[in-house]
Amino acid sequence: LKAQLEGALKAHKASRDEAKETMAKAKALREKEAEAHAAYKAEAETNIATIKKAVAALEKGAGQSFLQTPSAGRLRSYAMEQANLPDASREDLLSFLSNTGGSGYAP
């Protein structure tokens, strides 16, 4: 009986150690995913703020002055690299954002 109990105890300890290792791996994975999510969230929040600034500037009729701001550059980068836009809309937006010569555009 003693040998049987010692064998069971040894098996349970091995199982516990395996469970601890699995939990550590899961925790590391969750932390890695949380870091990736935080980076994505920060970038998305920056993009949203940039778009809000652009809309506000256009609503005020300050299109040309907006084009000179860092926000316009960030919006241009977002439109080129990440925005989920139809090609024609992307081209129109990029054309507007690239216009620094004062074409007389009015919203």
Side-chain angles (χ1 to χ4, degrees):
L1 178 65
K2 182 178 178 182
Q4 186 180 19
L5 290 176
E6 287 176 350
L9 181 61
K10 186 176 180 180
H12 288 302
K13 284 183 179 180
S15 177
R16 184 183 70 185
D17 291 342
E18 184 180 325
K20 285 182 179 181
E21 183 179 326
T22 301
M23 291 294 292
K25 287 179 183 178
K27 182 179 178 186
L29 179 61
R30 282 192 310 273
E31 289 172 352
K32 182 179 176 184
E33 290 172 344
E35 287 176 15
H37 173 73
Y40 175 79
K41 182 181 178 199
E43 184 178 355
E45 288 173 344
T46 298
N47 292 335
I48 290 168
T50 298
I51 291 169
K52 285 181 179 181
K53 287 179 185 178
V55 170
L58 293 174
E59 287 176 344
K60 291 179 184 177
Q64 290 300 322
S65 63
F66 170 75
L67 294 176
Q68 305 301 319
T69 66
S71 292
R74 282 193 298 273
L75 182 58
R76 188 178 303 112
S77 294
Y78 175 72
M80 286 190 301
E81 299 168 7
Q82 298 173 347
N84 185 13
L85 296 170
D87 288 340
S89 297
R90 182 186 317 274
E91 288 174 16
D92 289 343
L93 177 59
L94 291 173
S95 175
F96 170 74
L97 292 172
S98 297
N99 182 8
T100 57
S103 68
Y105 173 83

